[in-house]
Amino acid sequence: EANSALAQQREFLDDVLKGANLGTWRWNVQTGEAIFNERWAAMLGYSLAELAPISIDTWQSLTHPDDVKETRALLEQHFSGELEFYENQFRMRHKLGHWVMVLARGRVVSFTPEGAPLWLSGTHSDITELHNSRILLLESELRLQTMISNFPGAVYRCENDVRWTMLYLSAAVLDLTGYPAEKFMGDVGLSMTDITHADDVPVIYEKTQDALRRKESFHVIYRLQHADNRWRWVEEVGCGVYDERGELKYIDGFI
């Protein structure tokens, strides 16, 4: 019965690893002996037989030299008890020559009689696609921020409330109003309504709400009081952003 239960547990673990598409590894920290599964080798385009004989030096030879130092530093933090688990991302060379971004997770599972780490076990997963997607997203955000910084006015995203509570406001608002963007953020800071001419507030509200109800863009011209107390005429164009049910989420615009 005990052997049967153990076999079922092993089968379950194998199924989980296959389903998660994870490479597994087991490393003897003291001797350098290493044990990997076939998925670990397949992530890099190899079979285990092609990489034999396998040791921790096999991993190091395939890992980007710039990433080895950080990996070892994190391992030392885990060995010393500073980190409960070891986790790191690094590049490994594929058989075809390109780099695979790998997420490694592991933990010491046994110690020597003297208390030194003995066996470390863990998993490797291929996160190349996710890593590349993040890079593309960051590059896209950088391009957008560059475009926004070159606009001759302030770009904003706000709530549709009486204060036009700002969710985002570009740095160009400083030239426009004399106040930094941080001054307008949140529900306790300065609002655009606070520095808008009192005679213009109801006109702006009527035009924007009418456009939002019709799901159209709005265009208003009004007076803002600069930090130097002088009034400036400004032009604003904006539109509502709606969810899949057609309900207003927020307002995007340009002043």
Side-chain angles (χ1 to χ4, degrees):
E1 289 178 353
N3 287 335
S4 176
L6 182 59
Q8 288 178 351
Q9 290 178 359
R10 286 177 174 170
E11 183 180 1
F12 171 74
L13 179 59
D14 286 342
D15 288 344
V16 170
L17 292 173
K18 290 176 182 177
N21 204 28
L22 293 173
T24 62
W25 50 270
R26 187 171 170 84
W27 170 36
N28 188 313
V29 181
Q30 302 303 317
T31 67
E33 179 186 355
I35 303 169
F36 301 97
N37 69 351
E38 282 291 348
R39 172 56 191 157
W40 180 87
M43 283 193 304
L44 304 176
Y46 295 96
S47 66
L48 284 177
E50 290 179 277
L51 295 172
I54 293 177
S55 68
I56 193 61
D57 292 333
T58 309
W59 168 84
Q60 182 166 330
S61 67
L62 294 169
T63 301
H64 196 292
D66 294 343
D67 298 340
V68 172
K69 183 178 180 181
E70 180 182 1
T71 298
R72 295 197 178 280
L74 289 171
L75 285 169
E76 288 300 327
Q77 287 180 284
H78 175 54
F79 294 157
S80 67
E82 186 177 342
L83 296 175
E84 184 178 1
F85 293 91
Y86 159 70
E87 182 173 318
N88 191 25
Q89 297 179 20
F90 47 80
R91 293 159 290 180
M92 297 192 73
R93 175 77 74 177
H94 193 276
K95 183 179 181 180
L96 298 179
H98 60 272
W99 292 105
V100 175
M101 182 59 68
V102 173
L103 172 63
R105 289 192 175 105
R107 187 177 188 177
V108 174
V109 294
S110 64
F111 297 85
T112 67
E114 296 75 27
L118 182 58
W119 282 100
L120 183 73
S121 294
T123 61
H124 278 177
S125 54
D126 183 350
I127 60 168
T128 306
E129 186 175 344
L130 176 61
H131 177 73
N132 291 339
S133 296
R134 287 175 177 170
I135 291 177
L136 291 174
L137 180 60
L138 289 173
E139 291 176 346
S140 177
E141 290 179 349
L142 179 60
R143 286 194 298 270
L144 180 60
Q145 288 298 328
T146 301
M147 290 173 60
I148 288 175
S149 65
N150 289 327
F151 285 166
V155 177
Y156 69 85
R157 168 167 285 182
C158 72
E159 302 277 4
N160 185 34
D161 56 21
V162 294
R163 291 178 53 82
W164 310 106
T165 302
M166 290 293 167
L167 303 174
Y168 171 81
L169 186 59
S170 66
V173 74
L174 177 62
D175 292 332
L176 197 67
T177 67
Y179 300 102
E182 299 78 34
K183 188 78 172 179
F184 295 93
M185 303 305 295
D187 55 5
V188 295
L190 187 67
S191 75
M192 297 302 290
T193 304
D194 294 334
I195 60 173
T196 300
H197 197 288
D199 294 344
D200 297 340
V201 172
V203 177
I204 297 170
Y205 184 80
E206 181 180 354
K207 287 186 176 182
T208 55
Q209 296 308 305
D210 182 56
L212 293 172
R213 280 192 295 270
R214 291 184 282 110
K215 293 183 171 58
E216 298 176 353
S217 61
F218 59 84
H219 176 208
V220 288
I221 297 176
Y222 56 94
R223 290 160 287 184
L224 283 180
Q225 189 171 28
H226 194 273
D228 62 12
N229 290 324
R230 290 184 292 180
W231 291 97
R232 289 187 175 182
W233 285 96
V234 299
E235 181 179 25
E236 179 178 345
V237 178
C239 63
V241 178
Y242 305 86
D243 61 22
E244 62 277 1
R245 294 175 298 178
E247 295 182 3
L248 181 68
K249 295 174 63 178
Y250 30 72
I251 303 171
D252 286 351
F254 174 77
I255 307 173

